Amino acid sequence: MPEDVAGAPFMAVGSSAPEFFTVIIATMVTNSDEGIGDIVGAAVFNSMTIVGLTCIFAGQTLVITKFPVLRDFSFYLLSIILLFLFALDQKILWYESLLLLLGYAAYVFWMTQNRKIARAMYNRGGFLKFLTADYIADVERRAKEAEEKEAKKAAKEEGDAEAGEPKPKEGGVAFTPTAYDANAEGADKSSAASAAPAASPAGSAKPSFIRTLSFTLRNSKSFVIFRKNTSAFKCIGKVQTAFSWPLTMAFKLSMPESIRDKCKYWFMWNFVMSVAWICILITCVLIFTTRVGCILNIPGIVMGTIVLSSGTSVPDSLSSIIVARKGEGDMAIANVLGSNIFNIFVCLGFSWMLWNITEGPYEANALKGNLWFPIMIVLIYSCFLLVAFIISRWRLTKPLGFSLIFLHMTFIALTLLTNSIGGKKPVLLLPNTPGWSD
């Protein structure tokens, strides 16, 4: 399976579970604006900060493929435009939410026919061939590697001397030629060369992002508090254990490992319980965020855009950085764009469809306010990200990463300046804001 196909629908759906439950609970249970704010804020966070962190912590300059990026950008821009148009009348009707769900269905259908579509575009020649040439070359390379792997596996099962293990001679241990030994008796040098594993695009194996970060903290003079020998480290460890003990025990009791080897389908129970725990924890986080915003007199759309979006996007951040350090740049970018597509098409579309079925047209304070402004910022930032990829010649570099993170900080500043914080008037007044005409 190509990297982009694995990253866009599968990794994106898995890492977007927090956003999905946040929107469902905010829409159907608490009836607050944090859900919409979370999706809009996550769109900017994913496109700017996650891509920026991927560029910085990849440990190498990754080259991404044009065709999958342009494909995902097309569906992403379509989702933003539909969201903007549907929010103009300040309410969401049932057919509008249905169109969002159909948009994701079209995206999934495209992914099932992705190779055929790319091949058809390549055969048309001209500019379409230029867009899909590197993608087709990558697909053919992967197909060739898969065929060689299957041929080698079949030869080993048949007891082929070039790939299998010959019986040792009596009275001693025979030398075992392998498929990679060109000097072995009966081995063909050309076949040995073709069987040799290709050099990984990521170079030598790199440690995980989490281990690299923890190692840096432990050995840095600026982070003496993280060293194990210090009393501060022991104190932090005890506090962490005290706070995490209830959750750890709850996880162990609800998903005991002792039954794992006894039940063949135990993984299904673990999957269901994992989803249930995500739902429970997201509910707690949403209630806590809503109460804090109420106490500090901060609008729910702001809490969702800035606070919730950063928290619920942690799985996307870690998954993109981890695969990027393995040299899978296409998968990292596909995960980011695929998550944004899933968030708008499915998270908002499904929750709004449920509301229309049970309550009628969906109306919220966020739709009646200045929701158009952050959506417009998301659209502009998305276009900027595409232009940045083109200017950098489809390379993920550290300067690009720092510039994207700076743009996200700018978005946070604009969100704070254009909303009422602490009961005070916004610093920057937008249309439809009280006092705009003055």
Side-chain angles (χ1 to χ4, degrees):
M1 180 180 295
E3 303 169 13
D4 59 297
V5 177
F10 295 105
M11 280 184 61
V13 171
S15 58
S16 294
E19 285 93 342
F20 179 78
F21 287 109
T22 297
V23 178
I24 294 294
I25 296 171
T27 303
M28 302 302 299
V29 180
T30 63
N31 194 17
S32 57
D33 297 333
E34 280 80 1
I36 303 178
D38 180 26
I39 298 302
V40 175
V44 180
F45 187 90
N46 293 348
S47 302
M48 298 292 109
T49 298
I50 295 183
V51 176
L53 293 176
T54 301
C55 297
I56 295 172
F57 292 105
Q60 56 195 305
T61 299
L62 298 175
V63 180
I64 55 179
T65 312
K66 295 185 288 294
F67 172 72
V69 174
L70 293 175
R71 176 204 62 209
D72 292 341
F73 257 107
S74 300
F75 281 96
Y76 180 38
L77 293 178
L78 175 63
S79 66
I80 298 175
I81 293 174
L82 289 178
L83 178 61
F84 178 79
L85 295 177
F86 294 163
L88 286 179
D89 59 353
Q90 300 181 357
K91 61 181 178 181
I92 304 297
L93 303 176
W94 68 268
Y95 61 85
E96 293 174 338
S97 58
L98 178 61
L99 285 176
L100 292 178
L101 295 175
L102 291 177
Y104 193 76
Y107 176 66
V108 173
F109 175 77
W110 179 294
M111 298 303 293
T112 60
Q113 306 296 322
N114 188 61
R115 290 187 178 182
K116 295 181 179 179
I117 296 175
R119 178 67 66 178
M121 294 174 62
Y122 180 80
N123 294 334
R124 292 293 297 271
F127 182 70
L128 295 179
K129 182 177 181 180
F130 168 75
L131 291 179
T132 56
D134 51 353
Y135 181 78
I136 294 297
D138 182 69
V139 170
E140 292 178 349
R141 177 183 62 83
R142 289 178 178 272
K144 185 177 180 181
E145 291 177 354
E147 291 177 359
E148 292 178 352
K149 185 176 181 180
E150 290 296 328
K152 178 186 172 183
K153 182 179 180 181
K156 185 175 182 179
E157 292 177 353
E158 294 173 359
D160 192 339
E162 294 181 2
E165 295 182 1
K167 297 180 180 180
K169 297 180 181 180
E170 297 181 1
V173 179
F175 174 73
T176 305
T178 65
Y180 306 108
D181 185 16
N183 298 321
E185 182 180 358
D188 185 9
K189 292 186 177 181
S190 60
S191 62
S194 63
S200 172
S204 58
K206 296 180 178 295
S208 66
F209 168 72
I210 301 298
R211 291 185 178 182
T212 303
L213 181 60
S214 61
F215 178 81
T216 303
L217 293 176
R218 289 196 304 268
N219 293 275
S220 175
K221 295 181 180 180
S222 303
F223 293 92
V224 182
I225 191 174
F226 289 96
R227 297 184 180 178
K228 293 185 177 181
N229 297 329
T230 60
S231 58
F233 181 90
K234 297 179 181 179
C235 180
I236 294 176
K238 293 180 180 179
V239 173
Q240 180 183 358
T241 302
F243 276 97
S244 62
W245 183 83
L247 286 177
T248 302
M249 292 302 299
F251 295 155
K252 289 183 177 180
L253 292 175
S254 59
M255 296 176 286
E257 297 183 0
S258 58
I259 314 179
R260 180 179 57 185
D261 299 331
K262 300 179 181 179
C263 182
K264 181 179 180 181
Y265 299 101
W266 183 244
F267 69 94
M268 298 180 64
W269 172 261
N270 284 346
F271 176 79
V272 173
M273 289 305 302
S274 299
V275 173
W277 275 114
I278 291 176
C279 183
I280 294 173
L281 295 177
I282 285 297
T283 303
C284 297
V285 171
L286 185 59
I287 294 175
F288 178 77
T289 304
T290 304
R291 298 293 176 86
V292 171
C294 182
I295 294 173
L296 299 179
N297 200 6
I298 299 176
I301 187 71
V302 177
M303 295 296 292
T305 303
I306 298 178
V307 180
L308 275 178
S309 62
S310 302
T312 56
S313 296
V314 170
D316 292 314
S317 305
L318 296 179
S319 58
S320 293
I321 293 174
I322 289 173
V323 298
R325 291 187 63 82
K326 296 180 180 179
E328 307 289 353
D330 288 339
M331 185 179 293
I333 301 302
N335 174 49
V336 170
L337 297 178
S339 296
N340 290 345
I341 295 171
F342 181 84
N343 290 344
I344 297 177
F345 276 145
V346 178
C347 295
L348 291 179
F350 184 74
S351 61
W352 288 343
M353 176 61 76
L354 289 179
W355 183 271
N356 274 270
I357 293 175
T358 57
E359 302 291 339
Y362 178 76
E363 299 180 14
N365 294 329
L367 296 175
K368 298 177 182 179
N370 293 314
L371 183 62
W372 64 269
F373 179 71
I375 297 178
M376 186 64 66
I377 295 295
V378 171
L379 181 61
I380 295 174
Y381 274 19
S382 303
C383 296
F384 174 83
L385 181 61
L386 180 59
V387 173
F389 283 157
I390 296 175
I391 294 176
S392 64
R393 298 181 179 180
W394 307 97
R395 298 177 182 272
L396 304 181
T397 60
K398 287 186 177 181
L400 175 62
F402 286 114
S403 62
L404 294 178
I405 294 177
F406 173 77
L407 286 177
H408 185 219
M409 297 298 104
T410 305
F411 172 77
I412 293 177
L414 288 174
T415 302
L416 295 175
L417 293 175
T418 55
N419 285 274
S420 175
I421 307 298
K424 299 180 181 179
K425 291 184 178 181
V427 178
L428 299 177
L429 295 179
L430 299 173
N432 297 330
T433 303
W436 164 257
S437 59
D438 299 335

